[in-house]
């Protein structure tokens, strides 16, 4: 069973939050704000925040900027993971990911199924790693963001979580990469 090992130190992670939307502003971005509040509430650092239109090129450009920034460990997006024509966040992730974390989307949909039933099949939540940076794409609803954080990410981004967590793997994410292509 998973648990928090209080004998180990909490290591804050530097997280950038991207809301993918053609209509939201910082004032109306309840999903992004829910994510920011949650990550800061447990002691992580908000490294950057942006609202980016539903456009593969613009999402990819912002992802590349954050991936190449040594002050950002994790990028979490919300929005654009559905199946409509404007939902292109997974396609943007495909353009930058080096390795996919298949279990993230599977686990998100399994947990979401318990709350919204078969409607969860419309989510294309995805995750992976690029140049030593974790990337997670959540749906844009506030409920989905809360579920993704509260049920998965709060644990996997906690260095004290056992039996294992994403934070303890961070120093090894860049193994085998050429120099100059990762965070220092």
């Amino acid at each position: 069973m998973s648990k928090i090992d209080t004998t180990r130190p909490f290591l804050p992670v530097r997280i950038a939050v991207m809301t993918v939307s053609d209509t939201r502003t910082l004032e109306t971005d309840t999903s992004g704000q829910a994510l920011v509040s949650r990550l800061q509430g447990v002691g992580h650092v908000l490294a950057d925040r942006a609202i980016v239109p539903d456009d593969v090129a613009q999402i990819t450009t912002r992802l590349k900027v954050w991936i190449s920034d040594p002050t950002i460990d994790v990028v979490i997006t919300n929005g654009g993971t559905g199946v409509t024509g404007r939902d292109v966040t997974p396609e943007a992730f495909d353009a930058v990911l080096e390795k996919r974390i298949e279990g993230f989307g599977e686990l998100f949909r399994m947990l979401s199924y318990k709350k919204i039933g078969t409607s969860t099949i419309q989510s294309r939540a995805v995750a992976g790693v690029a140049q030593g940076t974790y990337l997670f794409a959540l749906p844009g609803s506030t409920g989905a963001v809360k579920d993704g954080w509260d049920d998965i990410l709060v644990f996997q981004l906690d260095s004290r979580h056992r039996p294992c967590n994403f934070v303890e793997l961070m120093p090894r994410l860049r193994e085998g990469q050429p120099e100059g292509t990762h965070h220092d």
Side-chain angles (χ1 to χ4, degrees), residues 11 35 42 52 60-61 70 98 104 121 125 139 143 154 159 178 180 182 184:
L11 302 174
L35 190 52
V42 297
V52 178
T60 302
T61 297
E98 295 163 356
F104 177 77
I121 202 166
V154 72
S159 55
H182 53 75
D184 293 321

Side-chain angles (χ1 to χ4, degrees), residues 28-181:
T28 62
D29 181 20
T30 56
S31 299
Q33 189 54 50
L35 190 52
V36 168
S37 296
R38 279 170 159 66
L39 72 89
Q40 290 178 323
V42 297
H44 294 302
V45 177
L46 178 64
D48 202 358
R49 182 175 178 188
I51 297 178
V52 178
D54 293 281
D55 176 79
V56 173
Q58 291 186 59
I59 298 166
T60 302
T61 297
R62 176 61 68 151
L63 289 174
K64 287 179 179 178
V65 167
W66 284 346
I67 290 165
S68 67
D69 185 336
T71 67
I72 295 174
D73 302 310
V74 175
V75 174
I76 305 174
T77 68
N78 67 92
T81 62
V83 296
T84 70
R86 297 293 296 160
D87 293 323
V88 295
T89 303
E91 287 74 18
F93 271 50
D94 287 344
V96 299
L97 288 182
E98 295 163 356
K99 292 186 178 181
R100 293 177 77 87
I101 303 171
E102 301 294 347
F104 177 77
E106 295 164 356
L107 180 57
F108 175 82
R109 285 180 287 278
M110 182 196 79
L111 294 168
S112 181
Y113 178 77
K114 295 175 183 176
K115 297 177 182 183
I116 65 168
T118 60
S119 296
T120 192
I121 202 166
Q122 295 180 25
S123 166
R124 296 187 301 144
V126 63
V129 178
Q131 296 179 30
T133 303
Y134 285 114
L135 294 101
F136 302 96
L138 293 169
S141 76
T142 303
V145 165
K146 289 176 180 179
D147 292 345
W149 180 265
D150 296 349
D151 296 342
I152 304 170
L153 293 175
V154 72
F155 301 110
Q156 282 300 299
L157 295 178
D158 190 325
S159 55
R160 305 166 300 168
H161 185 260
R162 296 287 166 253
C164 57
N165 61 75
F166 285 138
V167 178
E168 66 192 3
L169 299 177
M170 284 179 173
R172 298 179 49 212
L173 293 178
R174 300 175 295 272
E175 291 174 342
Q177 290 185 351
E179 287 300 314
T181 61

